[in-house]
Amino acid sequence: MTEQSAQPEYRIEDLARLSGATVRTIRAYQDRGLLPRPERRGRANVYGDAHLARLRRIADLLDRGYTLASIKELLEAWDTGRGLGGVLGLVAEVHGPWTDEEAARISRAELDARFGGTPDEEAIREAVELGVLERIPDREAEEYLVPSPQELAVAAELYAAGVPLTAITGHLKELRGQVEHIASRFLEFTTEYVFARYLEHRPPTDADAAEAAAMVRRLRPLAQQTVDAELARAMRLFATRHLQIHLSPDAPPAQDDEPRPVALPAGTVRAVQGLVGAEGVAAFVTAATEREVHKRTLDALSSRHHESCIEGQSGQLP
């Protein structure tokens, strides 16, 4: 930075240190047109605060999931005077929290106590992979951030009721896929009927983006309210049916082709996970079971054939 200039000036190494980007990344952004070229001063390239602000804005948009191509469109619109305030407001609105629930912290000792008191490294690893827990680095005592304390409380209640941790995480994975499908459908629905008119331009105008951000604020609670209402209706319907079936004295027996739950030892499940991963446990157990059934069938057929041969030979003796 030069002391003679009224505006701060940076060498590329200084710009990299202040922005958190690497020198290589800065040069790549320049080549792609994301970052203006520096001013040439003799044999040196000089950057200013505008370059630093641009790099920080690019990093923020990347953190929010935008591609470099999308970021370039946004920045080009901003550079041509179309404005970016409304677009950034829309980005912030969509990227903001979709729940009033606040994250909490929990120590490893508290975590172990809530789940039986016995440390389970495999369960911790799966919880971190699923985002139920986030490790907090640089702590003397092992500590975790809990993005959704409600979700952790549900897991603890299920465990206390006798549900194995492997079953809880498996259920969460299945549930998450179904909920993500619902969220995707809700977004497709609202985009088609509500937001399409705001997104006709790429990128949208500043005014359209600001209006779309206000609409997001209005519609934000509707998805959860709709799911809550429909889940309550479905739970009442199916819980009543299940209770009637189990309390009926003449309840029909389970059909042979109906799936039935089978409890496996936790050690067996962990061993299978080590071989094929958590997502392959069900398929592995199914294949292993079918293989054993086929093997026993072949053994039985071979045994019967062997016995019939012996009987035939015995009948031919004088």
Side-chain angles (χ1 to χ4, degrees):
M1 188 186 303
T2 62
E3 298 180 357
Q4 295 83 359
S5 174
Q7 297 295 328
E9 296 178 347
Y10 312 102
R11 295 175 305 166
I12 191 169
E13 292 80 8
D14 300 324
L15 187 65
R17 176 176 52 82
L18 292 169
S19 67
T22 65
V23 170
R24 182 178 180 180
T25 296
I26 292 173
R27 287 176 175 151
Y29 287 168
Q30 289 175 181
D31 293 340
R32 299 188 64 161
L34 288 161
L35 191 69
R37 293 285 177 179
E39 184 178 345
R40 191 74 177 175
R41 296 279 182 82
R43 299 178 62 183
N45 289 325
V46 176
Y47 299 84
D49 275 348
H51 294 90
L52 181 59
R54 176 67 67 94
L55 284 171
R56 288 173 174 169
R57 181 153 288 155
I58 292 172
D60 179 64
L61 291 170
L62 285 172
D63 288 342
R64 297 176 189 270
Y66 285 79
T67 65
L68 288 177
S70 299
I71 293 172
K72 184 178 181 181
E73 287 186 359
L74 291 172
L75 295 177
E76 286 176 348
W78 189 26
D79 291 339
T80 55
R82 288 177 56 189
L84 194 58
V87 173
L88 292 180
L90 175 59
V91 170
E93 194 66 49
V94 171
H95 190 71
W98 285 74
T99 175
D100 295 332
E101 187 178 14
E102 295 184 0
R105 293 189 175 201
I106 188 169
S107 69
R108 176 59 188 268
E110 293 171 327
L111 194 61
D112 290 341
R114 293 185 69 177
F115 290 90
T118 303
D120 189 333
E121 299 301 329
E122 181 65 19
I124 293 290
R125 183 189 63 79
E126 285 198 349
V128 171
E129 287 182 357
L130 288 169
V132 176
L133 299 174
E134 296 178 6
R135 298 185 188 276
I136 300 177
D138 303 325
R139 305 288 295 184
E140 292 184 5
E142 191 173 348
E143 193 173 5
Y144 296 87
L145 181 71
V146 185
S148 174
Q150 291 179 3
E151 191 170 52
L152 186 65
V154 169
E157 288 292 338
L158 290 172
Y159 182 81
V163 182
L165 285 174
T166 51
I168 294 173
T169 54
H171 176 70
L172 177 57
K173 290 176 184 178
E174 180 182 357
L175 180 64
R176 182 168 292 180
Q178 294 168 344
V179 171
E180 287 177 354
H181 174 72
I182 293 172
S184 176
R185 290 292 299 119
F186 187 83
L187 287 173
E188 291 171 0
F189 171 79
T190 53
T191 298
E192 179 180 359
Y193 292 100
V194 178
F195 292 104
R197 59 181 177 271
Y198 300 115
L199 305 175
E200 292 176 347
H201 306 288
R202 290 186 53 128
T205 64
D206 203 46
D208 282 347
E211 193 171 347
M215 188 63 70
V216 170
R217 284 192 295 274
R218 287 177 54 192
L219 298 182
R220 184 191 299 272
L222 296 187
Q224 183 170 349
Q225 290 171 3
T226 302
V227 171
D228 286 347
E230 284 300 308
L231 180 61
R233 180 198 63 80
M235 286 299 296
R236 183 173 61 251
L237 175 64
F238 288 106
T240 300
R241 287 182 184 175
H242 274 65
L243 187 62
Q244 290 173 346
I245 290 173
H246 287 288
L247 293 183
S248 175
D250 54 350
Q255 299 297 319
D256 290 340
D257 58 349
E258 286 185 1
R260 302 179 187 179
V262 177
L264 295 175
T268 300
V269 174
R270 283 194 291 270
V272 174
Q273 286 177 338
L275 288 172
V276 299
E279 69 282 356
V281 170
F284 183 91
V285 172
T286 300
T289 304
E290 291 177 349
R291 179 179 177 181
E292 182 64 20
V293 170
H294 292 160
K295 179 179 180 298
R296 294 193 180 192
T297 301
L298 291 173
D299 288 345
L301 290 172
S302 177
S303 176
R304 290 173 190 170
H305 176 70
H306 182 66
E307 291 174 358
S308 65
C309 289
I310 292 176
E311 290 176 358
Q313 292 173 358
S314 299
Q316 294 176 359
L317 292 176

